[in-house]
Coordinates of all heavy atoms in Angstrom, one line a residue:
M91 N 82.4 82.0 99.1 CA 83.5 82.9 98.9 C 84.6 82.2 98.2 O 84.9 81.0 98.3 CB 84.0 83.4 100.2 CG 85.2 84.4 100.0 SD 85.8 85.1 101.6 CE 84.7 86.5 101.7
A92 N 85.4 82.9 97.4 CA 86.5 82.3 96.6 C 87.6 81.9 97.5 O 87.8 82.5 98.6 CB 87.0 83.3 95.6
R93 N 88.3 80.8 97.1 CA 89.5 80.3 97.8 C 90.6 81.3 97.6 O 90.9 81.8 96.5 CB 89.8 78.9 97.3 CG 90.9 78.3 98.1 CD 91.2 76.9 97.6 NE 91.9 76.9 96.4 CZ 93.3 77.0 96.3 NH1 94.0 77.2 97.3 NH2 93.9 77.0 95.1
L94 N 91.3 81.6 98.7 CA 92.5 82.5 98.6 C 93.8 81.7 98.9 O 93.8 81.0 100.0 CB 92.3 83.6 99.7 CG 93.5 84.6 99.8 CD1 93.7 85.3 98.6 CD2 93.2 85.5 101.0
D95 N 94.7 81.8 98.1 CA 96.0 81.2 98.3 C 96.8 82.1 99.3 O 97.2 83.2 98.9 CB 96.8 81.1 97.0 CG 96.2 80.1 96.1 OD1 95.6 79.1 96.6 OD2 96.2 80.3 94.8
I96 N 97.0 81.7 100.5 CA 97.6 82.5 101.5 C 99.1 82.9 101.1 O 99.6 83.9 101.5 CB 97.6 81.8 102.9 CG1 96.2 81.6 103.3 CG2 98.4 82.6 103.9 CD1 95.3 82.8 103.5
D97 N 99.8 82.0 100.4 CA 101.2 82.3 100.0 C 101.3 83.6 99.2 O 102.4 84.1 99.0 CB 101.8 81.1 99.4 CG 101.2 80.7 98.1 OD1 100.0 81.1 97.9 OD2 101.8 80.1 97.3
V98 N 100.3 84.1 98.6 CA 100.4 85.4 97.8 C 100.5 86.6 98.7 O 100.8 87.7 98.2 CB 99.3 85.5 96.7 CG1 99.4 84.4 95.8 CG2 98.0 85.7 97.3
T99 N 100.1 86.5 100.0 CA 100.1 87.6 100.9 C 101.3 87.6 101.8 O 101.6 86.5 102.3 CB 98.8 87.7 101.7 OG1 98.7 86.6 102.5 CG2 97.6 87.8 100.8
N100 N 102.0 88.7 102.0 CA 103.1 88.6 102.9 C 103.3 89.9 103.7 O 104.2 90.0 104.5 CB 104.4 88.3 102.1 CG 104.7 89.3 101.0 OD1 104.2 90.4 101.0 ND2 105.5 88.9 100.1
I101 N 102.5 90.9 103.4 CA 102.7 92.2 104.1 C 101.5 92.7 104.9 O 101.5 92.9 106.1 CB 103.2 93.3 103.2 CG1 104.6 92.9 102.6 CG2 103.4 94.6 103.9 CD1 105.1 93.8 101.5
Y102 N 100.4 92.8 104.2 CA 99.2 93.4 104.8 C 97.9 92.9 104.2 O 97.9 92.6 103.0 CB 99.3 95.0 104.5 CG 98.4 95.8 105.3 CD1 98.5 96.0 106.6 CD2 97.3 96.4 104.7 CE1 97.7 96.8 107.4 CE2 96.4 97.2 105.4 CZ 96.6 97.3 106.7 OH 95.7 98.1 107.5
F103 N 96.9 92.9 105.0 CA 95.5 92.5 104.5 C 94.5 93.5 105.0 O 94.6 93.9 106.2 CB 95.3 91.1 105.1 CG 93.9 90.5 104.7 CD1 93.8 89.9 103.5 CD2 92.9 90.5 105.6 CE1 92.6 89.3 103.1 CE2 91.7 90.0 105.2 CZ 91.5 89.4 104.0
R104 N 93.6 93.9 104.2 CA 92.6 94.9 104.6 C 91.2 94.5 104.1 O 91.1 94.0 102.9 CB 93.0 96.3 104.0 CG 92.0 97.3 104.2 CD 92.4 98.7 103.8 NE 92.5 98.8 102.3 CZ 92.9 99.8 101.7 NH1 93.2 100.9 102.4 NH2 92.9 99.8 100.4
S105 N 90.2 94.7 104.9 CA 88.8 94.6 104.5 C 88.1 95.9 104.7 O 88.3 96.6 105.7 CB 88.1 93.5 105.4 OG 88.7 92.3 105.3
S106 N 87.2 96.2 103.8 CA 86.4 97.4 103.9 C 85.1 97.3 103.1 O 84.8 96.2 102.6 CB 87.3 98.6 103.4 OG 86.6 99.8 103.8
R107 N 84.4 98.4 103.0 CA 83.1 98.4 102.2 C 83.0 99.7 101.5 O 83.6 100.7 101.8 CB 82.0 98.2 103.2 CG 81.6 99.4 103.9 CD 80.6 99.4 105.0 NE 79.5 98.5 104.9 CZ 78.7 98.1 105.9 NH1 79.0 98.6 107.1 NH2 77.7 97.3 105.7
V108 N 82.2 99.7 100.5 CA 81.8 100.8 99.7 C 80.4 100.7 99.3 O 79.9 99.6 99.0 CB 82.8 101.0 98.5 CG1 82.7 99.9 97.5 CG2 82.5 102.3 97.8
Y109 N 79.6 101.8 99.2 CA 78.3 101.8 98.7 C 78.3 102.2 97.3 O 78.8 103.2 96.9 CB 77.3 102.6 99.6 CG 77.1 102.0 100.9 CD1 77.9 102.4 102.0 CD2 76.2 101.1 101.1 CE1 77.7 101.9 103.3 CE2 76.0 100.5 102.4 CZ 76.7 100.9 103.4 OH 76.6 100.3 104.7
I110 N 77.8 101.3 96.4 CA 77.8 101.6 95.0 C 76.4 102.0 94.5 O 75.4 101.3 94.9 CB 78.3 100.3 94.2 CG1 79.6 99.9 94.7 CG2 78.2 100.5 92.7 CD1 80.8 100.8 94.2
G111 N 76.3 103.0 93.7 CA 75.0 103.5 93.1 C 75.0 103.4 91.6 O 75.7 102.6 91.0
T112 N 74.3 104.4 91.0 CA 74.1 104.4 89.6 C 75.2 105.1 88.8 O 75.1 105.2 87.6 CB 72.7 105.0 89.2 OG1 72.7 106.3 89.8 CG2 71.6 104.1 89.8
T113 N 76.2 105.7 89.5 CA 77.3 106.3 88.9 C 78.5 105.4 89.2 O 78.7 105.0 90.3 CB 77.6 107.7 89.5 OG1 76.4 108.5 89.3 CG2 78.8 108.4 88.9
P114 N 79.4 105.1 88.2 CA 80.5 104.2 88.5 C 81.4 104.8 89.6 O 81.7 105.9 89.7 CB 81.3 104.3 87.1 CG 80.3 104.6 86.1 CD 79.3 105.5 86.8
A115 N 81.8 103.9 90.5 CA 82.6 104.2 91.7 C 83.7 103.2 91.8 O 83.5 102.0 91.5 CB 81.8 104.2 92.9
I116 N 84.9 103.6 92.2 CA 86.0 102.7 92.4 C 85.8 101.8 93.6 O 85.4 102.2 94.7 CB 87.3 103.5 92.5 CG1 87.6 104.3 91.3 CG2 88.5 102.5 92.8 CD1 88.8 105.2 91.4
I117 N 86.1 100.5 93.4 CA 86.1 99.5 94.5 C 87.6 99.3 94.9 O 88.4 99.0 94.1 CB 85.5 98.2 94.0 CG1 84.0 98.4 93.6 CG2 85.6 97.2 95.2 CD1 83.4 97.2 93.0
G118 N 87.9 99.5 96.2 CA 89.2 99.3 96.7 C 90.2 100.4 96.5 O 91.2 100.3 96.0
T119 N 89.7 101.6 96.9 CA 90.6 102.8 96.8 C 90.8 103.5 98.1 O 89.8 103.5 98.9 CB 90.0 103.8 95.7 OG1 91.0 104.8 95.5 CG2 88.7 104.4 96.1
P120 N 92.0 103.9 98.5 CA 93.2 103.8 97.7 C 93.7 102.3 97.8 O 93.5 101.7 98.8 CB 94.2 104.7 98.3 CG 93.7 104.8 99.8 CD 92.2 104.7 99.7
A121 N 94.2 101.8 96.7 CA 94.7 100.5 96.7 C 95.9 100.3 97.6 O 96.7 101.3 97.7 CB 95.1 100.1 95.2
L122 N 96.0 99.1 98.2 CA 97.3 98.9 99.0 C 98.4 98.9 98.0 O 98.4 98.4 96.9 CB 97.2 97.5 99.6 CG 96.2 97.2 100.7 CD1 96.2 95.8 101.1 CD2 96.5 98.1 101.9
S123 N 99.6 99.5 98.5 CA 100.8 99.4 97.7 C 101.2 98.0 97.6 O 101.0 97.2 98.5 CB 101.9 100.3 98.2 OG 102.2 99.8 99.5
N124 N 101.6 97.5 96.4 CA 102.0 96.1 96.2 C 100.8 95.2 96.3 O 101.0 94.0 96.5 CB 103.0 95.7 97.2 CG 104.4 95.6 96.6 OD1 104.5 95.6 95.4 ND2 105.4 95.4 97.4
R125 N 99.6 95.7 96.0 CA 98.4 94.8 96.1 C 98.6 93.6 95.1 O 99.0 93.8 94.0 CB 97.2 95.6 95.7 CG 95.9 94.7 95.7 CD 94.7 95.5 95.5 NE 94.6 96.0 94.1 CZ 93.7 96.9 93.8 NH1 92.8 97.4 94.6 NH2 93.7 97.4 92.5
K126 N 98.2 92.4 95.6 CA 98.3 91.2 94.8 C 96.9 90.6 94.5 O 96.8 89.9 93.5 CB 99.2 90.2 95.5 CG 100.6 90.7 95.8 CD 101.5 89.6 95.9 CE 103.0 90.0 96.1 NZ 103.3 91.3 96.5
F127 N 95.9 91.0 95.3 CA 94.6 90.5 95.0 C 93.5 91.4 95.6 O 93.8 92.2 96.5 CB 94.3 89.1 95.6 CG 94.2 89.0 97.1 CD1 93.0 89.2 97.7 CD2 95.4 88.8 97.9 CE1 92.9 89.2 99.1 CE2 95.3 88.8 99.2 CZ 94.0 89.0 99.9
L128 N 92.4 91.4 95.0 CA 91.2 92.1 95.4 C 90.0 91.2 95.4 O 89.7 90.6 94.3 CB 90.9 93.3 94.5 CG 89.7 94.1 94.8 CD1 89.7 94.8 96.1 CD2 89.5 95.1 93.7
T129 N 89.4 90.9 96.5 CA 88.1 90.1 96.6 C 87.0 91.0 96.7 O 86.9 91.9 97.5 CB 88.2 89.1 97.8 OG1 89.3 88.3 97.6 CG2 86.9 88.3 97.8
I130 N 86.0 90.9 95.8 CA 84.8 91.7 95.8 C 83.6 90.8 96.2 O 83.4 89.7 95.6 CB 84.5 92.3 94.4 CG1 85.7 93.2 93.9 CG2 83.2 93.1 94.3 CD1 85.7 93.6 92.5
I131 N 82.8 91.3 97.1 CA 81.6 90.6 97.6 C 80.4 91.5 97.5 O 80.4 92.5 98.1 CB 81.8 90.1 99.1 CG1 83.2 89.4 99.2 CG2 80.7 89.2 99.5 CD1 83.7 89.4 100.6
N132 N 79.4 91.0 96.8 CA 78.1 91.8 96.7 C 77.2 91.5 97.9 O 76.6 90.4 97.9 CB 77.4 91.5 95.4 CG 76.2 92.3 95.2 OD1 75.7 93.0 96.1 ND2 75.5 92.1 94.0
F133 N 77.2 92.4 98.9 CA 76.3 92.2 100.0 C 74.9 92.8 99.8 O 74.1 92.8 100.7 CB 77.0 92.8 101.2 CG 77.7 91.9 102.1 CD1 78.9 91.3 101.6 CD2 77.3 91.5 103.4 CE1 79.6 90.4 102.4 CE2 78.0 90.7 104.2 CZ 79.2 90.1 103.7
G134 N 74.7 93.4 98.6 CA 73.5 94.0 98.3 C 72.4 93.1 97.9 O 72.6 91.9 97.8
T135 N 71.2 93.7 97.6 CA 70.1 92.9 97.1 C 69.8 93.0 95.6 O 68.9 92.5 95.1 CB 68.8 93.3 97.9 OG1 68.6 94.7 97.7 CG2 68.9 93.0 99.4
A136 N 70.7 93.8 95.0 CA 70.6 94.0 93.5 C 71.9 93.6 92.9 O 72.9 93.4 93.5 CB 70.3 95.5 93.2
N137 N 71.9 93.5 91.6 CA 73.1 93.1 90.8 C 74.2 94.2 90.9 O 73.8 95.4 90.7 CB 72.8 92.7 89.4 CG 72.0 91.5 89.2 OD1 71.9 90.7 90.2 ND2 71.3 91.4 88.1
L138 N 75.4 93.8 91.0 CA 76.6 94.7 90.9 C 77.2 94.4 89.6 O 77.4 93.2 89.2 CB 77.5 94.5 92.0 CG 78.9 95.0 91.9 CD1 78.9 96.6 92.0 CD2 79.9 94.4 93.0
F139 N 77.6 95.4 88.8 CA 78.4 95.3 87.6 C 79.7 95.9 87.8 O 79.8 97.0 88.2 CB 77.6 95.9 86.4 CG 76.2 95.3 86.2 CD1 75.1 95.8 86.9 CD2 76.1 94.2 85.4 CE1 73.9 95.3 86.7 CE2 74.8 93.6 85.3 CZ 73.7 94.1 85.9
V140 N 80.8 95.2 87.4 CA 82.2 95.7 87.5 C 82.8 95.8 86.2 O 82.5 95.0 85.3 CB 83.0 94.9 88.5 CG1 82.4 94.9 89.9 CG2 83.2 93.5 88.1
G141 N 83.8 96.7 86.1 CA 84.6 96.9 84.9 C 85.5 98.1 85.0 O 85.9 98.5 86.1
S142 N 85.8 98.7 83.8 CA 86.7 99.9 83.8 C 85.9 101.2 83.9 O 84.7 101.1 84.2 CB 87.4 99.8 82.4 OG 86.5 99.9 81.4
S143 N 86.6 102.3 83.8 CA 86.0 103.6 84.1 C 84.8 104.0 83.3 O 83.9 104.7 83.8 CB 87.1 104.7 84.0 OG 87.5 104.8 82.7
G144 N 84.6 103.5 82.1 CA 83.5 103.8 81.3 C 82.3 102.8 81.5 O 81.4 102.7 80.7
L145 N 82.3 102.2 82.7 CA 81.4 101.1 83.0 C 79.9 101.5 82.9 O 79.5 102.6 83.2 CB 81.7 100.7 84.4 CG 80.8 99.6 85.1 CD1 81.0 98.3 84.4 CD2 81.1 99.5 86.5
T146 N 79.1 100.5 82.3 CA 77.7 100.6 82.3 C 77.1 99.3 82.9 O 77.9 98.5 83.4 CB 77.1 100.8 80.9 OG1 77.4 99.6 80.2 CG2 77.7 102.0 80.2
I147 N 75.8 99.1 82.9 CA 75.3 97.9 83.5 C 75.5 96.7 82.6 O 75.0 95.6 82.8 CB 73.8 98.1 83.8 CG1 73.0 98.5 82.6 CG2 73.6 99.0 85.0 CD1 71.5 98.4 82.8
T148 N 76.4 96.8 81.6 CA 76.8 95.7 80.8 C 78.1 95.1 81.2 O 78.7 94.3 80.6 CB 76.9 96.1 79.3 OG1 77.8 97.1 79.1 CG2 75.5 96.5 78.7
G149 N 78.6 95.6 82.4 CA 79.8 95.1 82.9 C 79.7 93.7 83.4 O 78.6 93.1 83.3
Y150 N 80.7 93.1 84.0 CA 80.7 91.8 84.6 C 79.8 91.7 85.8 O 80.0 92.5 86.7 CB 82.1 91.3 85.0 CG 82.1 89.9 85.5 CD1 82.2 88.8 84.6 CD2 82.1 89.6 86.8 CE1 82.2 87.5 85.0 CE2 82.2 88.3 87.3 CZ 82.2 87.3 86.4 OH 82.2 86.0 86.9
P151 N 78.7 90.9 85.8 CA 77.8 90.9 86.9 C 78.2 90.1 88.1 O 78.8 89.0 88.0 CB 76.5 90.3 86.3 CG 77.1 89.3 85.2 CD 78.3 90.0 84.7
Y152 N 77.9 90.7 89.3 CA 78.0 90.0 90.6 C 76.6 90.0 91.1 O 76.0 91.0 91.4 CB 78.9 90.7 91.5 CG 80.4 90.6 91.3 CD1 81.0 91.2 90.2 CD2 81.2 89.8 92.2 CE1 82.4 91.0 90.0 CE2 82.5 89.7 92.0 CZ 83.1 90.3 90.9 OH 84.5 90.2 90.7
Y153 N 76.0 88.8 91.2 CA 74.6 88.7 91.8 C 74.7 88.8 93.3 O 75.7 88.6 93.9 CB 74.0 87.4 91.3 CG 74.0 87.3 89.8 CD1 75.0 86.5 89.1 CD2 73.2 88.0 89.0 CE1 75.0 86.4 87.7 CE2 73.2 88.0 87.6 CZ 74.1 87.2 87.0 OH 74.2 87.1 85.6
P154 N 73.5 89.1 93.9 CA 73.5 89.2 95.4 C 74.2 88.0 96.0 O 73.8 86.9 95.7 CB 72.0 89.4 95.7 CG 71.5 90.0 94.5 CD 72.2 89.4 93.3
G155 N 75.1 88.3 96.9 CA 75.8 87.2 97.6 C 77.0 86.6 96.9 O 77.8 85.9 97.5
Q156 N 77.2 87.0 95.6 CA 78.3 86.5 94.9 C 79.6 87.2 95.2 O 79.7 88.4 95.5 CB 78.1 86.6 93.4 CG 79.1 86.0 92.5 CD 78.8 86.1 91.0 OE1 77.7 86.5 90.6 NE2 79.8 85.8 90.2
S157 N 80.7 86.4 95.1 CA 82.1 87.0 95.3 C 83.0 86.5 94.3 O 82.8 85.4 93.7 CB 82.6 86.7 96.8 OG 82.8 85.3 96.9
D158 N 84.2 87.1 94.2 CA 85.2 86.7 93.3 C 86.5 87.3 93.7 O 86.5 88.5 94.2 CB 84.9 87.1 91.8 CG 85.7 86.3 90.8 OD1 86.4 85.3 91.2 OD2 85.7 86.7 89.6
T159 N 87.6 86.6 93.5 CA 88.9 87.2 93.8 C 89.7 87.4 92.5 O 89.8 86.5 91.7 CB 89.7 86.2 94.7 OG1 89.0 86.1 95.9 CG2 91.1 86.7 95.0
L160 N 90.2 88.7 92.4 CA 90.9 89.1 91.2 C 92.4 89.2 91.6 O 92.7 89.9 92.6 CB 90.4 90.4 90.7 CG 88.9 90.5 90.5 CD1 88.5 91.9 90.1 CD2 88.4 89.5 89.4
R161 N 93.3 88.7 90.8 CA 94.7 88.8 91.1 C 95.1 90.1 90.3 O 95.4 89.9 89.1 CB 95.5 87.6 90.7 CG 95.2 86.5 91.6 CD 96.1 85.3 91.2 NE 95.8 84.2 92.1 CZ 96.7 83.5 92.8 NH1 98.0 83.9 92.6 NH2 96.4 82.6 93.6
I162 N 95.1 91.2 90.9 CA 95.5 92.5 90.2 C 96.4 93.3 91.1 O 96.4 93.2 92.3 CB 94.2 93.3 89.9 CG1 93.4 93.6 91.2 CG2 93.3 92.5 88.9 CD1 92.3 94.5 90.9
G163 N 97.2 94.1 90.4 CA 98.1 95.0 91.1 C 97.5 96.3 91.5 O 96.3 96.6 91.2
P164 N 98.2 97.2 92.2 CA 97.7 98.4 92.7 C 97.3 99.5 91.7 O 96.6 100.4 91.9 CB 98.8 98.9 93.6 CG 100.0 98.3 93.1 CD 99.6 97.0 92.6
S165 N 97.9 99.3 90.5 CA 97.6 100.3 89.4 C 96.3 100.0 88.7 O 95.8 100.9 87.9 CB 98.7 100.4 88.4 OG 98.9 99.2 87.8
V166 N 95.7 98.9 88.9 CA 94.4 98.5 88.2 C 93.3 99.0 89.0 O 93.1 98.8 90.2 CB 94.3 97.0 88.1 CG1 93.0 96.6 87.4 CG2 95.5 96.4 87.3
R167 N 92.4 99.8 88.4 CA 91.2 100.4 89.1 C 90.0 99.6 88.6 O 89.7 99.5 87.4 CB 91.1 101.9 88.8 CG 92.3 102.6 89.3 CD 92.2 104.1 89.2 NE 91.5 104.6 88.0 CZ 91.0 105.8 87.9 NH1 91.1 106.7 88.9 NH2 90.4 106.2 86.8
I168 N 89.2 99.1 89.6 CA 88.0 98.4 89.3 C 86.8 99.3 89.7 O 86.8 99.7 90.8 CB 88.0 97.0 90.0 CG1 89.1 96.2 89.7 CG2 86.6 96.3 89.8 CD1 89.1 95.6 88.2
F169 N 85.9 99.5 88.8 CA 84.7 100.3 89.1 C 83.5 99.4 89.2 O 83.4 98.3 88.6 CB 84.5 101.3 87.9 CG 85.5 102.4 87.8 CD1 86.7 102.2 87.3 CD2 85.2 103.6 88.3 CE1 87.7 103.2 87.3 CE2 86.1 104.7 88.3 CZ 87.3 104.5 87.7
G170 N 82.5 99.9 90.0 CA 81.3 99.2 90.2 C 80.1 100.1 89.9 O 80.2 101.3 90.1
I171 N 78.9 99.5 89.5 CA 77.7 100.3 89.3 C 76.5 99.4 89.5 O 76.7 98.1 89.4 CB 77.7 100.9 87.9 CG1 76.6 101.9 87.7 CG2 77.6 99.8 86.8 CD1 76.7 102.7 86.4
T172 N 75.4 99.9 89.8 CA 74.1 99.1 89.9 C 73.1 99.8 89.1 O 73.2 101.0 88.7 CB 73.7 98.9 91.4 OG1 72.7 97.9 91.4 CG2 73.3 100.2 92.0
Q173 N 72.0 99.1 88.8 CA 70.9 99.7 87.9 C 70.1 100.8 88.6 O 69.7 101.8 88.0 CB 70.0 98.6 87.5 CG 70.5 97.7 86.4 CD 69.6 96.6 86.0 OE1 69.1 95.9 86.9 NE2 69.4 96.5 84.7
S174 N 69.9 100.6 89.9 CA 69.1 101.6 90.7 C 69.4 101.5 92.1 O 69.9 100.5 92.6 CB 67.6 101.5 90.4 OG 67.2 100.2 90.9
G175 N 69.2 102.6 92.8 CA 69.5 102.6 94.3 C 71.0 102.5 94.6 O 71.8 103.0 93.9
S176 N 71.2 101.9 95.8 CA 72.6 101.8 96.3 C 72.8 100.4 96.9 O 71.8 99.9 97.6 CB 72.8 102.9 97.3 OG 74.1 102.8 97.9
I177 N 73.9 99.8 96.7 CA 74.2 98.5 97.3 C 75.5 98.5 98.1 O 76.4 99.2 97.8 CB 74.2 97.3 96.2 CG1 75.3 97.6 95.2 CG2 72.8 97.2 95.6 CD1 75.4 96.5 94.2
D178 N 75.5 97.6 99.1 CA 76.6 97.4 99.9 C 77.6 96.4 99.3 O 77.2 95.3 99.0 CB 76.1 96.8 101.3 CG 77.2 96.6 102.3 OD1 78.4 97.0 102.1 OD2 76.9 96.0 103.4
V179 N 78.8 96.9 99.0 CA 79.8 96.0 98.4 C 81.0 96.0 99.4 O 81.5 97.0 99.8 CB 80.3 96.6 97.1 CG1 81.5 95.7 96.5 CG2 79.1 96.6 96.1
R180 N 81.4 94.8 99.8 CA 82.6 94.6 100.7 C 83.7 94.1 99.8 O 83.6 93.5 98.8 CB 82.3 93.5 101.7 CG 81.0 93.6 102.4 CD 81.0 94.7 103.5 NE 79.6 94.9 104.0 CZ 79.2 94.4 105.1 NH1 80.0 93.6 105.9 NH2 78.0 94.6 105.6
Y181 N 84.9 94.5 100.2 CA 86.1 94.0 99.5 C 87.2 93.8 100.5 O 87.3 94.3 101.6 CB 86.5 95.1 98.5 CG 87.0 96.4 99.0 CD1 88.3 96.7 99.3 CD2 86.1 97.4 99.1 CE1 88.7 97.9 99.8 CE2 86.4 98.7 99.6 CZ 87.8 98.9 99.9 OH 88.1 100.1 100.3
Q182 N 88.1 92.9 100.1 CA 89.3 92.5 100.8 C 90.5 92.6 99.8 O 90.3 92.2 98.7 CB 89.2 91.1 101.4 CG 88.1 90.9 102.3 CD 87.9 89.5 102.7 OE1 88.1 88.6 101.9 NE2 87.4 89.2 103.9
E183 N 91.6 93.1 100.3 CA 92.8 93.1 99.5 C 94.0 92.8 100.3 O 94.0 93.0 101.5 CB 92.9 94.4 98.7 CG 93.0 95.6 99.6 CD 93.0 96.9 98.8 OE1 93.4 96.9 97.7 OE2 92.7 97.9 99.4
G184 N 95.0 92.2 99.6 CA 96.2 91.8 100.3 C 97.4 92.2 99.5 O 97.4 92.3 98.2
S185 N 98.5 92.5 100.2 CA 99.8 92.8 99.5 C 100.9 91.9 100.0 O 100.7 91.3 101.0 CB 100.1 94.3 99.6 OG 100.4 94.6 100.9

């Protein structure tokens, strides 16, 4: 898992999950107000691709078990998609 700088969080921390399929879906919605980071973890057995709303399977890949922390605000929407079926995606965000 990616290292998290604790000093960037000062109000709230939340963990949740979303199941991602073959239609782009938002990861981390609704976003925490004042969100400073979003950690995405692919708990599935297939590749997860992330990007903007017009996302296809050419987005940024997260392989099974891979995670990454993005320093993004609450107005940034991150979408996920997979090639087939449905995968378990966990996320954590802090404000």
Side-chain angles (χ1 to χ4, degrees):
M91 179 180 273
R93 185 177 76 82
L94 174 63
D95 295 326
I96 298 301
D97 62 339
V98 300
T99 62
N100 59 20
I101 297 173
Y102 193 72
F103 182 79
R104 174 174 70 179
S105 296
S106 193
R107 78 185 329 159
V108 62
Y109 289 96
I110 301 291
T112 57
T113 302
I116 298 175
I117 299 172
T119 187
L122 290 177
S123 61
N124 254 349
R125 178 173 69 191
K126 300 204 177 20
F127 72 87
L128 173 67
T129 299
I130 300 171
I131 310 158
N132 181 356
F133 264 67
T135 57
N137 294 342
L138 165 70
F139 300 91
V140 299
S142 60
S143 62
L145 177 66
T146 66
I147 58 169
T148 60
Y150 182 82
Y152 282 72
Y153 303 104
Q156 183 177 351
S157 67
D158 197 12
T159 299
L160 310 172
R161 290 182 181 236
I162 58 173
S165 63
V166 177
R167 297 186 325 160
I168 301 293
F169 288 78
I171 192 171
T172 190
Q173 287 179 308
S174 64
S176 178
I177 59 174
D178 180 7
V179 175
R180 311 284 172 98
Y181 64 90
Q182 300 172 326
E183 56 185 338
S185 64

